[in-house]
Amino acid sequence: KKLKENYVMPRSSNEGKAQIKEWVSTISPEHFHILDVATGQGTYYNMFNDLDNLKNCKWTGIEIWPRWIKKFALKEKYNTLFQEDIRTFDYNAQTPNIDIAFAGDVLEHMTKVEAIALVSKLLEVTDNLIVSIPIVYMPQGADGGNPYEIHVKPDWSHEEMLESFPQIKKSWAGKKIGVYWLSPKENN
């Protein structure tokens, strides 16, 4: 099927975004390197690019779906953009020394084993990983023809997140969305 030009990808909920902004505003970077994992439409770039404490940061994005890259002009937003699968991406070789990484509405698009492996890979290159995820049953199909939009694990809960990721140093749970700040275990 041909994707309609006016098709809008599913958007992440605004729930939890204020909490993420509060956490990020406590960081005092000079010239940060930020990684946006599975950029989608560039939500985190759009949300933080104009904040005073992140204005001079370098932004790297990873997005697998070429239609989103074109539709949302991601190559124009990010200093570096990789079109790759975040589960198999070589973070150590391609993005070492990341100051903060965002994985917003990402983990539900893979199995739990893949999600745990992804978080481990990310925590090898950053001390600050911000995760946002639905914490209620939230199924989703291949919206816009994008098979990567499917919620493979649509039933994460706040409790399961806390049990699955001992690297969580801060958490916030809303009605539908949970946000988590993870750091390597030795930094907690």
Side-chain angles (χ1 to χ4, degrees), residues 77-106:
K77 291 180 181 182
Y78 294 88
N79 302 98
T80 305
L81 183 71
F82 295 96
Q83 183 182 336
E84 294 194 35
D85 188 323
I86 61 172
R87 295 167 296 183
T88 57
F89 184 78
D90 187 348
Y91 294 91
N92 284 307
Q94 301 287 343
T95 57
N97 305 316
I98 296 295
D99 296 296
I100 190 166
F102 294 106
D105 303 304
V106 171

Side-chain angles (χ1 to χ4, degrees), residues 117-133:
L118 175 64
V119 166
S120 293
K121 287 180 188 181
L122 289 168
L123 290 176
E124 289 177 12
V125 297
T126 187
D127 289 339
N128 301 291
L129 172 60
I130 305 291
V131 172
S132 175
I133 187 170

